[in-house]
Amino acid sequence: MPEQDIDFLENQIPALSGAAVNMAYANTLASGGSVLEAKGGAIYEIFSNGNQRLVKQIEPPVPVQQGQKILLS
């Protein structure tokens, strides 16, 4: 496969993975399940009826530049 084709396909990965996550989220709620979502420095359990339950306070997200490497401890 030509390098140009590989680059094109690799560039599609973020959009495809984002769509897959959104579909899994919607399908889980539609089937009556719940999902966990991190927002505002906390993890919430989101239920299919729209209710939310605080699960845990967490550290705020760390902003990074694309390609930046950070050490996780």
Side-chain angles (χ1 to χ4, degrees):
M1 180 178 281
E3 188 69 26
Q4 184 179 10
D5 291 347
I6 293 171
D7 289 343
F8 174 77
L9 292 172
E10 286 178 344
N11 287 330
Q12 303 308 307
I13 291 172
L16 292 172
S17 63
V21 168
N22 290 337
M23 183 169 284
Y25 184 99
N27 287 342
T28 300
L29 292 177
S31 69
S34 64
V35 295
L36 295 177
E37 185 174 326
K39 57 184 177 180
I43 297 176
Y44 292 93
E45 184 175 13
I46 312 296
F47 298 94
S48 58
N49 65 3
N51 290 340
Q52 300 179 20
R53 179 181 69 88
L54 176 65
V55 174
K56 182 179 182 178
Q57 292 294 128
I58 58 174
E59 294 293 323
V62 176
V64 296
Q65 298 286 331
Q66 183 175 356
Q68 178 183 351
K69 295 181 182 179
I70 60 171
L71 178 63
L72 301 176
S73 54

